[in-house]
Amino acid sequence: MKKLIVANWKMNPDSFSRAELLVRAVQKTAASSKNAKVVLCLPYPWLTDISHKKHKGLSFGAQNVFWENSGAYTGEVSPAMLKNSGVEYVIIGHSERRKWLGETDEMINKRVKAALKTGLKVILCVGEGIEIRKKGLSAAKKFVKNQLQKDLKNFPSSKLQALSSYLVIAYEPVWAIGTGKADKPEDTVEMAKFIKSLLAAKPYTLNPNVLYGGSVTFRNAGSLLQYKEINGALVGGASIKSKEFIKIIRAAG
Ligand code: 13P
């Protein structure tokens, strides 16, 4: 199965021409890769201009979405707007939004449901902070379980079944994001197995792909992606350096 290599550009770059250059730089490698499916999650101002045109080998994603499809919600972008612009994926619940925008699990739950209902594929981010991880992997699992239970609350299970392939979980330990200290692959594998078994059980009965995010570079990508339990990577800093990102795509095999 192909690995999902997702670029989270965050609030970069600062011009459309630079965004276009980045897209063009990675497209050829993405189109010729047999083992990677490449998704670029761009900031809104560049996203729809780029996503509404076909780019062979590339899929596009947003970094957030609102939970209503239209109405008086100043500054928000709806799932329908994204879907109608050729956007396939949306990242929801990133720790930077939880931290800087006061995003709660209740808000994330509403976003996830609305996005899936509209036919967007959701990359739901979960992960513990350093204070929890210091207590060990079991404490981290407990934290992640609690996030998942809240973020995926109240899904009618019959609907969930149909959405199984539309939900992707990104395990992003907060302490690993932007720090240069990625999680140990063996610990990530254990967390991925835990997430998969939690969501395989009732009431979810889901079989989601699980990605790892947090200081993924071309140096560590191969050692993470070699494991079947890790279905791909969510890449921040290294995704806006085209040469590095290309090497990460190649690391998928
Ligand atoms: P870095 O790859 O810069 O650590 O960021 C990870 C991330 O937050 C991806 O969503």
Side-chain angles (χ1 to χ4, degrees):
M1 209 172 102
K2 282 192 175 192
K3 300 281 184 180
L4 198 56
I5 307 295
V6 184
N8 177 6
W9 287 6
K10 308 193 179 182
M11 203 170 66
N12 302 291
D14 60 3
S15 77
F16 183 68
S17 55
R18 275 192 266 274
E20 265 190 318
L21 270 179
L22 261 173
V23 170
R24 255 186 264 137
V26 299
Q27 185 180 5
K28 218 170 131 197
T29 310
S32 62
S33 172
K34 288 192 175 58
N35 298 307
K37 168 166 175 154
V38 180
V39 182
L40 304 182
C41 296
L42 279 57
Y44 286 142
W46 323 139
L47 175 64
T48 50
D49 247 10
I50 291 178
S51 65
H52 84 267
K53 293 181 208 118
K54 177 102 186 93
H55 291 77
K56 196 168 177 285
L58 292 176
S59 295
F60 293 94
Q63 299 170 15
N64 184 36
V65 69
F66 195 57
W67 52 78
E68 296 290 343
N69 265 331
S70 63
Y73 303 101
T74 304
E76 294 302 320
V77 171
S78 77
M81 289 172 184
L82 296 177
K83 182 79 184 155
N84 293 335
S85 307
V87 173
E88 191 179 337
Y89 286 85
V90 59
I91 296 172
I92 296 179
H94 193 282
S95 62
E96 286 154 11
R97 293 198 57 83
R98 294 180 193 252
K99 179 181 171 191
W100 298 110
L101 282 306
E103 202 142 295
T104 63
D105 289 307
E106 288 71 29
M107 291 156 84
I108 291 163
N109 178 245
K110 287 202 258 182
R111 294 188 205 283
V112 170
K113 284 196 250 188
L116 288 173
K117 214 164 135 192
T118 310
L120 292 169
K121 293 176 182 160
V122 167
I123 300 168
L124 170 62
C125 299
V126 292
E128 79 290 348
I130 190 65
E131 289 311 316
I132 290 162
R133 185 55 172 254
K134 272 185 190 159
K135 295 181 191 157
L137 202 54
S138 300
K141 284 182 191 168
K142 200 170 154 201
F143 182 88
V144 165
K145 179 179 177 179
N146 190 264
Q147 278 187 323
L148 285 170
Q149 283 173 334
K150 288 183 177 161
D151 297 346
L152 298 175
K153 203 174 155 194
N154 287 338
F155 278 84
S157 46
S158 54
K159 265 200 191 150
L160 262 185
Q161 282 289 350
L163 298 171
S164 189
S165 61
Y166 276 60
L167 182 66
V168 177
I169 308 296
Y171 170 58
E172 295 209 307
V174 179
W175 50 268
I177 296 177
T179 58
K181 290 184 196 132
D183 196 16
K184 280 198 236 110
E186 308 79 57
D187 288 351
T188 309
V189 167
E190 198 173 325
M191 183 60 87
K193 280 188 188 165
F194 173 73
I195 292 171
K196 282 169 196 265
S197 71
L198 176 76
L199 296 184
K202 280 186 181 164
Y204 308 104
T205 55
L206 291 166
N207 181 23
N209 283 328
V210 176
L211 314 181
Y212 169 77
S215 297
V216 174
T217 65
F218 70 89
R219 288 193 179 85
N220 61 21
S223 59
L224 280 156
L225 295 171
Q226 67 174 314
Y227 294 99
K228 67 175 188 317
E229 290 84 359
I230 304 173
N231 303 110
L234 180 51
V235 188
S239 74
I240 49 170
K241 296 176 194 134
S242 55
K243 283 189 183 139
E244 282 200 29
F245 192 59
I246 284 168
K247 286 186 194 166
I248 293 173
I249 298 171
R250 292 198 176 124

